[in-house]
Amino acid sequence: MTANPVPTASVEPRQAVPAEPVVPGVPGRRGGGKAAAAQNAGASAGSLFHLIRTGQASSRAELARLSGVSASTVAMRVEELIAAGYLEETGKGESTGGRKPRSLSLKVGNQVVVGIDLGEHHASLGVMDRRARLIAQSLETVSLIDGPEAVVRQLVERSRALVAEAGEGLELAGIAMGLPGPVDSRTGKLVAPSRMPGWNGVAVRELLESYSGLPARVDNDANIMALGEYVYRGQNIDNLVFVKAGTGIGCGVIASGALHRGFRGIAGDISHVSLSDAEPIPCSCGRLGCLDVIASGSAILDSLREEGVEVESMNELIAIASDAHPLATRYLRDAGRRTGEVLATIVNFFNPEALVLGGKLSQSEAFVAGVRQAIYTQCLPMATDFLDVSVSEIGWTGGVQGIGWALLEEIIDPARIDAELRTSGS
């Protein structure tokens, strides 16, 4: 296991996601309304902060109107939030007939979180500020066979170092990690991950909290990539299916503007769908001919090696296919078609607005063409007439930003803010 990041950390001033993202399911975004927001907002400081953060209000007057409480109560709550470092005044707003109101906005402050997207051989890390902006990122070499304790300890140490590199005075407030295996949403434990020997049954969130002493969050990697894509696209696509096609294949689902995990968190796990007419190749789940052993990047690499093609990595696979290697191109197109056959059932059943392809295989035109071929051949016209089948816009940082954003939602949750202010005021 290598402790040095590859490449070195970089600090980027650009905003990778909206500066003040809107929370899924919050009234006021498409399908809601400010009247509904007023009914649900209440008068607590945390609720008023939420209205500012989600862009539904930008002044004390708007807060009073939306929350339905007196201007004096709003003024008192706002002063509490300013004193606690959650809000700040940013100038004068537009006048509606009197004095110009003082504008309010979320204060970035010095607290940041680190999002981690753990892969089989590498981990992507990103530092995000309170406005969910990615301010630093790094790629760390890891080896899952070293075991959960060693890997988690390494990544906690690297997270602290990356925060220190990102800027003076920054304070790490939490660490979140996406995992390349099924995560039981009720217990937070990994369940029979196929490429993580020694990790089965491990509660990674507890390990993160133990080694860091900070709030932590974990989820499946396809879920966090779906969430990252959803936030990056402005949270305007309420029904989205994200497919992570790399060494393995996974799927994350955004339903009605929220991440859908199902009863135990396995919703969208398409990797162990058996293909009826596939070769009877044994899968780690004990069955034969699962999508993962037929169409994943690892399966393609194995097939090419059996044919005498010397290819060691996914990057090499994509490179030789882009140079028109006939066998690599054929295998990639077949893998895309097989993946599309499974996705066609999901598209017909779920009827999403967008089907987004991510992961290393999405960089192959042959793979993407194979998926599209199957989707448009096997889906009902009504399901595909307005379906957007596209490659991920957010790219390799999608998982980092998705899990980081989810942790920020916990850390600056209105109820948590209210509890903090009550404690500080007692």
Side-chain angles (χ1 to χ4, degrees):
M1 181 165 56
T2 304
N4 294 324
V6 184
T8 57
S10 61
V11 178
E12 301 196 357
R14 67 179 178 84
Q15 289 188 11
V17 294
E20 296 186 1
V22 182
V23 180
V26 170
R29 55 186 299 281
R30 183 162 56 92
K34 290 192 175 181
Q39 294 174 2
N40 295 327
S44 74
S47 297
L48 297 181
F49 168 82
H50 183 74
L51 290 173
I52 295 293
R53 177 177 176 250
T54 56
Q56 298 174 69
S58 61
S59 68
R60 292 168 176 81
E62 289 179 344
L63 287 174
R65 178 168 55 82
L66 288 174
S67 65
V69 300
S70 68
S72 60
T73 298
V74 166
M76 179 178 66
R77 299 280 189 265
V78 167
E79 291 309 310
E80 291 176 337
L81 290 166
I82 291 175
Y86 285 105
L87 294 181
E88 63 182 351
E89 293 182 339
T90 55
K92 297 292 182 75
E94 292 295 324
S95 172
T96 56
R99 259 189 335 186
K100 288 186 177 181
R102 286 173 292 176
S103 296
L104 298 169
S105 68
L106 182 152
K107 186 173 182 177
V108 175
N110 66 341
Q111 286 194 335
V112 296
V113 300
V114 170
I116 303 172
D117 186 1
L118 180 62
E120 200 169 345
H121 303 292
H122 296 90
S124 305
L125 293 85
V127 179
M128 297 173 64
D129 67 18
R130 194 182 278 173
R131 286 183 177 171
R133 295 178 299 192
L134 188 67
I135 60 175
Q137 55 190 314
S138 177
L139 189 65
E140 182 84 358
T141 300
V142 298
S143 177
L144 295 183
I145 62 174
D146 288 339
E149 290 82 4
V151 172
V152 170
R153 187 184 297 110
Q154 174 194 354
L155 293 176
V156 168
E157 292 173 357
R158 183 59 193 140
S159 295
R160 295 191 184 280
L162 187 59
V163 170
E165 295 165 14
E168 187 176 351
L170 293 179
E171 176 189 348
L172 181 58
I175 302 176
M177 185 184 295
L179 303 167
V183 177
D184 190 324
S185 58
R186 303 176 305 169
T187 65
K189 294 181 178 180
L190 278 162
V191 181
S194 59
R195 292 181 175 86
M196 303 179 75
W199 291 69
N200 184 42
V202 174
V204 179
R205 179 172 185 162
E206 293 179 9
L207 279 181
L208 276 172
E209 291 175 338
S210 174
Y211 288 132
S212 70
L214 298 168
R217 184 183 182 95
V218 298
D219 207 330
N220 169 260
D221 57 358
N223 283 345
I224 67 172
M225 294 175 94
L227 188 57
E229 191 77 25
Y230 170 70
V231 175
Y232 186 81
R233 295 191 182 207
Q235 300 174 55
N236 293 318
I237 303 176
D238 283 349
N239 299 289
L240 177 149
V241 172
F242 186 96
V243 181
K244 184 212 171 193
T247 53
I249 297 180
C251 179
V253 178
I254 300 293
S256 300
L259 184 62
H260 178 68
R261 294 185 178 86
F263 175 54
R264 292 190 61 187
I266 203 172
D269 191 343
I270 61 174
S271 60
H272 297 291
V273 174
S274 293
L275 304 176
S276 58
D277 58 344
E279 288 185 61
I281 300 173
C283 179
S284 62
C285 71
R287 293 184 293 176
L288 302 176
C290 291
L291 182 66
D292 190 65
V293 295
I294 299 297
S296 68
S298 293
I300 297 172
L301 290 175
D302 289 343
S303 296
L304 286 171
R305 290 164 187 156
E306 289 175 3
E307 295 287 346
V309 180
E310 296 183 2
V311 56
E312 297 299 324
S313 67
M314 296 290 290
N315 285 333
E316 288 184 45
L317 169 62
I318 300 303
I320 64 173
S322 65
D323 284 338
H325 188 288
L327 205 54
T329 301
R330 191 185 86 194
Y331 283 157
L332 282 164
R333 183 179 290 274
D334 287 347
R337 178 177 56 81
R338 287 298 203 176
T339 303
E341 289 171 0
V342 174
L343 292 173
T345 300
I346 294 176
V347 169
N348 279 330
F349 173 78
F350 179 52
N351 188 207
E353 300 168 60
L355 173 62
V356 182
L357 306 178
K360 185 62 70 173
L361 292 185
S362 71
Q363 298 176 14
S364 164
E365 293 181 3
F367 179 83
V368 174
V371 172
R372 286 197 172 111
Q373 175 190 356
I375 291 294
Y376 289 113
T377 300
Q378 299 188 26
C379 289
L380 294 169
M382 192 171 179
T384 58
D385 280 348
F386 298 100
L387 176 66
D388 175 26
V389 181
S390 60
V391 174
S392 171
E393 294 179 3
I394 192 171
W396 71 274
T397 64
V400 166
Q401 296 187 63
I403 194 66
W405 186 85
L407 180 58
L408 281 170
E409 290 293 287
E410 289 186 8
I411 290 176
I412 52 181
D413 177 74
R416 185 186 290 257
I417 292 175
D418 288 336
E420 178 188 326
L421 293 178
R422 283 195 301 269
T423 301
S424 62
S426 58

Short mmCIF file of all heavy atoms in Angstrom, two decimals, residues 177-228:
data_model
loop_
_atom_site.label_atom_id
_atom_site.label_comp_id
_atom_site.label_asym_id
_atom_site.label_seq_id
_atom_site.Cartn_x
_atom_site.Cartn_y
_atom_site.Cartn_z
N MET A 177 -17.61 8.12 3.15
CA MET A 177 -16.95 7.21 2.21
C MET A 177 -17.96 6.36 1.44
O MET A 177 -18.89 5.81 2.01
CB MET A 177 -16.00 6.28 2.98
CG MET A 177 -15.17 5.36 2.10
SD MET A 177 -14.13 4.21 3.07
CE MET A 177 -13.02 5.37 3.87
N GLY A 178 -17.74 6.28 0.14
CA GLY A 178 -18.49 5.36 -0.70
C GLY A 178 -17.71 4.07 -0.85
O GLY A 178 -16.48 4.09 -1.00
N LEU A 179 -18.40 2.94 -0.83
CA LEU A 179 -17.76 1.62 -0.81
C LEU A 179 -18.16 0.79 -2.02
O LEU A 179 -19.33 0.79 -2.41
CB LEU A 179 -18.15 0.88 0.47
CG LEU A 179 -17.82 1.60 1.79
CD1 LEU A 179 -18.53 0.93 2.95
CD2 LEU A 179 -16.33 1.63 2.02
N PRO A 180 -17.20 0.04 -2.61
CA PRO A 180 -17.51 -0.77 -3.79
C PRO A 180 -18.14 -2.10 -3.45
O PRO A 180 -17.66 -3.17 -3.85
CB PRO A 180 -16.12 -0.95 -4.43
CG PRO A 180 -15.19 -0.97 -3.27
CD PRO A 180 -15.76 0.00 -2.26
N GLY A 181 -19.23 -2.06 -2.70
CA GLY A 181 -19.94 -3.28 -2.32
C GLY A 181 -21.27 -2.92 -1.69
O GLY A 181 -21.51 -1.76 -1.33
N PRO A 182 -22.16 -3.89 -1.53
CA PRO A 182 -23.48 -3.63 -0.94
C PRO A 182 -23.36 -3.19 0.53
O PRO A 182 -22.63 -3.82 1.31
CB PRO A 182 -24.20 -4.98 -1.06
CG PRO A 182 -23.42 -5.76 -2.06
CD PRO A 182 -22.00 -5.30 -1.94
N VAL A 183 -24.08 -2.14 0.89
CA VAL A 183 -24.09 -1.65 2.27
C VAL A 183 -25.51 -1.76 2.80
O VAL A 183 -26.45 -1.21 2.22
CB VAL A 183 -23.61 -0.18 2.34
CG1 VAL A 183 -23.70 0.33 3.78
CG2 VAL A 183 -22.19 -0.05 1.81
N ASP A 184 -25.68 -2.48 3.90
CA ASP A 184 -27.00 -2.59 4.54
C ASP A 184 -27.35 -1.23 5.14
O ASP A 184 -26.68 -0.77 6.07
CB ASP A 184 -26.96 -3.66 5.63
CG ASP A 184 -28.35 -4.00 6.17
OD1 ASP A 184 -29.19 -3.09 6.27
OD2 ASP A 184 -28.58 -5.18 6.50
N SER A 185 -28.38 -0.60 4.61
CA SER A 185 -28.73 0.75 5.05
C SER A 185 -29.25 0.77 6.49
O SER A 185 -29.29 1.83 7.11
CB SER A 185 -29.78 1.35 4.11
OG SER A 185 -30.95 0.53 4.05
N ARG A 186 -29.64 -0.37 7.03
CA ARG A 186 -30.14 -0.41 8.41
C ARG A 186 -29.01 -0.51 9.42
O ARG A 186 -29.09 0.03 10.52
CB ARG A 186 -31.10 -1.59 8.60
CG ARG A 186 -32.29 -1.59 7.65
CD ARG A 186 -33.14 -2.84 7.85
NE ARG A 186 -32.31 -4.05 7.71
CZ ARG A 186 -32.72 -5.25 8.03
NH1 ARG A 186 -33.95 -5.43 8.51
NH2 ARG A 186 -31.93 -6.30 7.88
N THR A 187 -27.93 -1.22 9.06
CA THR A 187 -26.83 -1.44 10.00
C THR A 187 -25.55 -0.73 9.61
O THR A 187 -24.65 -0.58 10.43
CB THR A 187 -26.53 -2.95 10.11
OG1 THR A 187 -26.05 -3.43 8.84
CG2 THR A 187 -27.78 -3.72 10.49
N GLY A 188 -25.44 -0.31 8.33
CA GLY A 188 -24.22 0.31 7.85
C GLY A 188 -23.10 -0.67 7.58
O GLY A 188 -21.95 -0.27 7.34
N LYS A 189 -23.40 -1.97 7.58
CA LYS A 189 -22.38 -2.99 7.38
C LYS A 189 -22.31 -3.43 5.91
O LYS A 189 -23.33 -3.47 5.22
CB LYS A 189 -22.65 -4.21 8.26
CG LYS A 189 -22.53 -3.94 9.75
CD LYS A 189 -22.79 -5.21 10.56
CE LYS A 189 -22.62 -4.95 12.05
NZ LYS A 189 -22.87 -6.17 12.85
N LEU A 190 -21.10 -3.74 5.47
CA LEU A 190 -20.94 -4.33 4.15
C LEU A 190 -21.47 -5.76 4.15
O LEU A 190 -21.29 -6.50 5.12
CB LEU A 190 -19.46 -4.35 3.77
CG LEU A 190 -18.89 -3.05 3.20
CD1 LEU A 190 -17.37 -3.05 3.29
CD2 LEU A 190 -19.33 -2.87 1.76
N VAL A 191 -22.15 -6.13 3.04
CA VAL A 191 -22.74 -7.46 2.94
C VAL A 191 -22.20 -8.17 1.71
O VAL A 191 -22.51 -7.81 0.58
CB VAL A 191 -24.28 -7.37 2.87
CG1 VAL A 191 -24.88 -8.77 2.79
CG2 VAL A 191 -24.84 -6.62 4.06
N ALA A 192 -21.35 -9.17 1.94
CA ALA A 192 -20.80 -10.02 0.88
C ALA A 192 -20.28 -9.25 -0.32
O ALA A 192 -20.69 -9.50 -1.46
CB ALA A 192 -21.88 -11.02 0.42
N PRO A 193 -19.35 -8.31 -0.11
CA PRO A 193 -18.78 -7.58 -1.26
C PRO A 193 -17.88 -8.51 -2.07
O PRO A 193 -17.05 -9.23 -1.52
CB PRO A 193 -17.97 -6.46 -0.59
CG PRO A 193 -17.61 -7.00 0.75
CD PRO A 193 -18.76 -7.87 1.16
N SER A 194 -18.05 -8.52 -3.39
CA SER A 194 -17.37 -9.51 -4.22
C SER A 194 -15.89 -9.23 -4.40
O SER A 194 -15.12 -10.16 -4.67
CB SER A 194 -18.05 -9.59 -5.59
OG SER A 194 -18.02 -8.33 -6.25
N ARG A 195 -15.44 -7.99 -4.29
CA ARG A 195 -14.03 -7.68 -4.54
C ARG A 195 -13.37 -7.04 -3.32
O ARG A 195 -12.44 -6.25 -3.45
CB ARG A 195 -13.91 -6.74 -5.75
CG ARG A 195 -14.30 -7.41 -7.06
CD ARG A 195 -14.16 -6.48 -8.25
NE ARG A 195 -14.44 -7.19 -9.48
CZ ARG A 195 -15.63 -7.37 -9.99
NH1 ARG A 195 -16.69 -6.89 -9.36
NH2 ARG A 195 -15.81 -8.04 -11.12
N MET A 196 -13.86 -7.40 -2.13
CA MET A 196 -13.32 -6.83 -0.89
C MET A 196 -13.08 -7.95 0.13
O MET A 196 -13.79 -8.04 1.13
CB MET A 196 -14.27 -5.77 -0.33
CG MET A 196 -14.58 -4.63 -1.28
SD MET A 196 -15.75 -3.43 -0.56
CE MET A 196 -14.67 -2.55 0.58
N PRO A 197 -12.09 -8.80 -0.11
CA PRO A 197 -11.85 -9.91 0.83
C PRO A 197 -11.53 -9.40 2.24
O PRO A 197 -10.69 -8.52 2.41
CB PRO A 197 -10.64 -10.64 0.22
CG PRO A 197 -9.99 -9.64 -0.68
CD PRO A 197 -11.10 -8.79 -1.20
N GLY A 198 -12.21 -9.98 3.23
CA GLY A 198 -11.98 -9.59 4.61
C GLY A 198 -12.84 -8.43 5.08
O GLY A 198 -12.74 -8.01 6.24
N TRP A 199 -13.71 -7.90 4.20
CA TRP A 199 -14.53 -6.75 4.56
C TRP A 199 -15.97 -7.13 4.88
O TRP A 199 -16.75 -6.28 5.32
CB TRP A 199 -14.53 -5.72 3.42
CG TRP A 199 -13.22 -5.02 3.20
CD1 TRP A 199 -12.07 -5.57 2.73
CD2 TRP A 199 -12.94 -3.63 3.43
NE1 TRP A 199 -11.09 -4.61 2.64
CE2 TRP A 199 -11.59 -3.42 3.06
CE3 TRP A 199 -13.71 -2.56 3.89
CZ2 TRP A 199 -10.99 -2.16 3.15
CZ3 TRP A 199 -13.12 -1.30 3.97
CH2 TRP A 199 -11.76 -1.11 3.61
N ASN A 200 -16.37 -8.34 4.64
CA ASN A 200 -17.77 -8.73 4.85
C ASN A 200 -18.18 -8.52 6.31
O ASN A 200 -17.49 -8.94 7.24
CB ASN A 200 -17.97 -10.19 4.48
CG ASN A 200 -19.42 -10.62 4.61
OD1 ASN A 200 -20.33 -9.89 4.22
ND2 ASN A 200 -19.66 -11.80 5.16
N GLY A 201 -19.31 -7.85 6.50
CA GLY A 201 -19.84 -7.62 7.83
C GLY A 201 -19.19 -6.48 8.58
O GLY A 201 -19.54 -6.22 9.75
N VAL A 202 -18.26 -5.78 7.95
CA VAL A 202 -17.55 -4.68 8.63
C VAL A 202 -18.42 -3.43 8.62
O VAL A 202 -18.97 -3.03 7.58
CB VAL A 202 -16.20 -4.40 7.94
CG1 VAL A 202 -15.54 -3.16 8.55
CG2 VAL A 202 -15.29 -5.60 8.06
N ALA A 203 -18.53 -2.79 9.78
CA ALA A 203 -19.25 -1.51 9.90
C ALA A 203 -18.24 -0.39 9.67
O ALA A 203 -17.61 0.12 10.60
CB ALA A 203 -19.90 -1.40 11.27
N VAL A 204 -18.09 0.01 8.42
CA VAL A 204 -17.05 0.97 8.06
C VAL A 204 -17.32 2.34 8.68
O VAL A 204 -16.38 3.05 9.06
CB VAL A 204 -16.93 1.07 6.52
CG1 VAL A 204 -15.87 2.10 6.13
CG2 VAL A 204 -16.58 -0.28 5.93
N ARG A 205 -18.59 2.69 8.82
CA ARG A 205 -18.90 3.99 9.45
C ARG A 205 -18.34 4.04 10.88
O ARG A 205 -17.77 5.06 11.28
CB ARG A 205 -20.40 4.23 9.46
CG ARG A 205 -20.80 5.54 10.13
CD ARG A 205 -22.26 5.84 9.97
NE ARG A 205 -22.60 7.15 10.51
CZ ARG A 205 -23.70 7.83 10.23
NH1 ARG A 205 -24.58 7.32 9.39
NH2 ARG A 205 -23.94 9.00 10.76
N GLU A 206 -18.50 2.96 11.60
CA GLU A 206 -17.98 2.93 12.97
C GLU A 206 -16.45 3.04 12.98
O GLU A 206 -15.87 3.70 13.86
CB GLU A 206 -18.43 1.65 13.67
CG GLU A 206 -19.93 1.58 13.92
CD GLU A 206 -20.33 0.28 14.60
OE1 GLU A 206 -19.43 -0.48 15.02
OE2 GLU A 206 -21.55 0.02 14.70
N LEU A 207 -15.80 2.39 12.01
CA LEU A 207 -14.34 2.51 11.91
C LEU A 207 -13.93 3.95 11.64
O LEU A 207 -12.99 4.48 12.24
CB LEU A 207 -13.81 1.61 10.81
CG LEU A 207 -13.61 0.12 11.12
CD1 LEU A 207 -13.05 -0.59 9.90
CD2 LEU A 207 -12.66 -0.06 12.30
N LEU A 208 -14.62 4.59 10.71
CA LEU A 208 -14.31 5.99 10.38
C LEU A 208 -14.46 6.88 11.61
O LEU A 208 -13.61 7.73 11.88
CB LEU A 208 -15.23 6.48 9.26
CG LEU A 208 -14.84 6.17 7.81
CD1 LEU A 208 -15.97 6.58 6.87
CD2 LEU A 208 -13.55 6.89 7.44
N GLU A 209 -15.56 6.71 12.32
CA GLU A 209 -15.79 7.53 13.51
C GLU A 209 -14.75 7.24 14.59
O GLU A 209 -14.30 8.15 15.29
CB GLU A 209 -17.20 7.28 14.04
CG GLU A 209 -18.29 7.82 13.12
CD GLU A 209 -19.69 7.46 13.58
OE1 GLU A 209 -19.84 6.49 14.34
OE2 GLU A 209 -20.63 8.15 13.15
N SER A 210 -14.36 5.97 14.71
CA SER A 210 -13.39 5.60 15.73
C SER A 210 -12.02 6.20 15.46
O SER A 210 -11.38 6.76 16.35
CB SER A 210 -13.29 4.07 15.81
OG SER A 210 -12.26 3.67 16.69
N TYR A 211 -11.56 6.11 14.20
CA TYR A 211 -10.22 6.60 13.87
C TYR A 211 -10.17 8.12 13.73
O TYR A 211 -9.11 8.72 13.94
CB TYR A 211 -9.73 5.96 12.57
CG TYR A 211 -9.36 4.50 12.71
CD1 TYR A 211 -9.82 3.56 11.81
CD2 TYR A 211 -8.57 4.06 13.77
CE1 TYR A 211 -9.50 2.21 11.94
CE2 TYR A 211 -8.24 2.71 13.90
CZ TYR A 211 -8.71 1.80 12.98
OH TYR A 211 -8.39 0.47 13.13
N SER A 212 -11.28 8.75 13.38
CA SER A 212 -11.27 10.20 13.17
C SER A 212 -11.81 10.99 14.35
O SER A 212 -11.47 12.17 14.53
CB SER A 212 -12.08 10.55 11.92
OG SER A 212 -13.47 10.33 12.13
N GLY A 213 -12.69 10.35 15.15
CA GLY A 213 -13.36 11.08 16.23
C GLY A 213 -14.36 12.10 15.71
O GLY A 213 -14.73 13.04 16.42
N LEU A 214 -14.83 11.91 14.47
CA LEU A 214 -15.72 12.86 13.81
C LEU A 214 -16.96 12.16 13.27
O LEU A 214 -16.98 10.94 13.11
CB LEU A 214 -14.98 13.54 12.65
CG LEU A 214 -13.75 14.36 12.98
CD1 LEU A 214 -12.98 14.70 11.71
CD2 LEU A 214 -14.15 15.63 13.74
N PRO A 215 -18.02 12.93 12.95
CA PRO A 215 -19.18 12.33 12.29
C PRO A 215 -18.76 11.69 10.97
O PRO A 215 -17.86 12.19 10.28
CB PRO A 215 -20.11 13.53 12.05
CG PRO A 215 -19.70 14.54 13.06
CD PRO A 215 -18.22 14.36 13.23
N ALA A 216 -19.38 10.57 10.63
CA ALA A 216 -19.03 9.85 9.40
C ALA A 216 -20.29 9.32 8.73
O ALA A 216 -21.36 9.24 9.34
CB ALA A 216 -18.06 8.71 9.71
N ARG A 217 -20.13 8.95 7.46
CA ARG A 217 -21.25 8.41 6.69
C ARG A 217 -20.67 7.47 5.65
O ARG A 217 -19.59 7.71 5.10
CB ARG A 217 -22.03 9.54 6.01
CG ARG A 217 -23.27 9.07 5.26
CD ARG A 217 -23.95 10.24 4.55
NE ARG A 217 -25.15 9.82 3.87
CZ ARG A 217 -26.37 9.88 4.37
NH1 ARG A 217 -26.54 10.39 5.57
NH2 ARG A 217 -27.41 9.47 3.68
N VAL A 218 -21.37 6.37 5.35
CA VAL A 218 -20.95 5.46 4.30
C VAL A 218 -22.15 5.09 3.43
O VAL A 218 -23.30 5.15 3.88
CB VAL A 218 -20.30 4.17 4.85
CG1 VAL A 218 -19.05 4.49 5.65
CG2 VAL A 218 -21.29 3.37 5.69
N ASP A 219 -21.87 4.72 2.19
CA ASP A 219 -22.92 4.25 1.29
C ASP A 219 -22.25 3.49 0.16
O ASP A 219 -21.02 3.50 0.01
CB ASP A 219 -23.73 5.44 0.75
CG ASP A 219 -25.16 5.06 0.37
OD1 ASP A 219 -25.38 3.90 -0.02
OD2 ASP A 219 -26.05 5.93 0.46
N ASN A 220 -23.05 2.82 -0.63
CA ASN A 220 -22.57 2.11 -1.82
C ASN A 220 -22.07 3.11 -2.86
O ASN A 220 -22.61 4.20 -3.01
CB ASN A 220 -23.72 1.26 -2.38
CG ASN A 220 -23.42 0.71 -3.74
OD1 ASN A 220 -23.87 1.25 -4.73
ND2 ASN A 220 -22.65 -0.35 -3.80
N ASP A 221 -21.03 2.73 -3.62
CA ASP A 221 -20.43 3.67 -4.56
C ASP A 221 -21.37 4.10 -5.68
O ASP A 221 -21.35 5.27 -6.10
CB ASP A 221 -19.12 3.12 -5.13
CG ASP A 221 -19.28 1.76 -5.81
OD1 ASP A 221 -20.40 1.20 -5.82
OD2 ASP A 221 -18.26 1.23 -6.32
N ALA A 222 -22.20 3.20 -6.17
CA ALA A 222 -23.14 3.59 -7.24
C ALA A 222 -24.17 4.58 -6.72
O ALA A 222 -24.56 5.51 -7.43
CB ALA A 222 -23.83 2.35 -7.81
N ASN A 223 -24.60 4.41 -5.48
CA ASN A 223 -25.55 5.37 -4.88
C ASN A 223 -24.96 6.76 -4.79
O ASN A 223 -25.62 7.76 -5.11
CB ASN A 223 -25.96 4.90 -3.49
CG ASN A 223 -26.96 3.78 -3.50
OD1 ASN A 223 -27.59 3.49 -4.53
ND2 ASN A 223 -27.14 3.12 -2.38
N ILE A 224 -23.72 6.85 -4.32
CA ILE A 224 -23.14 8.18 -4.15
C ILE A 224 -22.85 8.85 -5.49
O ILE A 224 -22.92 10.07 -5.61
CB ILE A 224 -21.88 8.14 -3.26
CG1 ILE A 224 -20.74 7.39 -3.94
CG2 ILE A 224 -22.19 7.53 -1.90
CD1 ILE A 224 -19.40 7.48 -3.21
N MET A 225 -22.54 8.05 -6.51
CA MET A 225 -22.33 8.63 -7.84
C MET A 225 -23.64 9.12 -8.43
O MET A 225 -23.68 10.16 -9.09
CB MET A 225 -21.67 7.60 -8.75
CG MET A 225 -20.26 7.23 -8.31
SD MET A 225 -19.53 5.90 -9.29
CE MET A 225 -18.64 6.83 -10.50
N ALA A 226 -24.72 8.40 -8.17
CA ALA A 226 -26.04 8.86 -8.61
C ALA A 226 -26.39 10.17 -7.93
O ALA A 226 -26.88 11.12 -8.57
CB ALA A 226 -27.10 7.80 -8.30
N LEU A 227 -26.13 10.26 -6.63
CA LEU A 227 -26.42 11.48 -5.89
C LEU A 227 -25.55 12.64 -6.37
O LEU A 227 -26.03 13.77 -6.53
CB LEU A 227 -26.20 11.23 -4.39
CG LEU A 227 -26.62 12.34 -3.43
CD1 LEU A 227 -28.10 12.68 -3.61
CD2 LEU A 227 -26.35 11.91 -1.99
N GLY A 228 -24.26 12.37 -6.62
CA GLY A 228 -23.38 13.41 -7.12
C GLY A 228 -23.83 13.95 -8.47
O GLY A 228 -23.81 15.16 -8.71
#
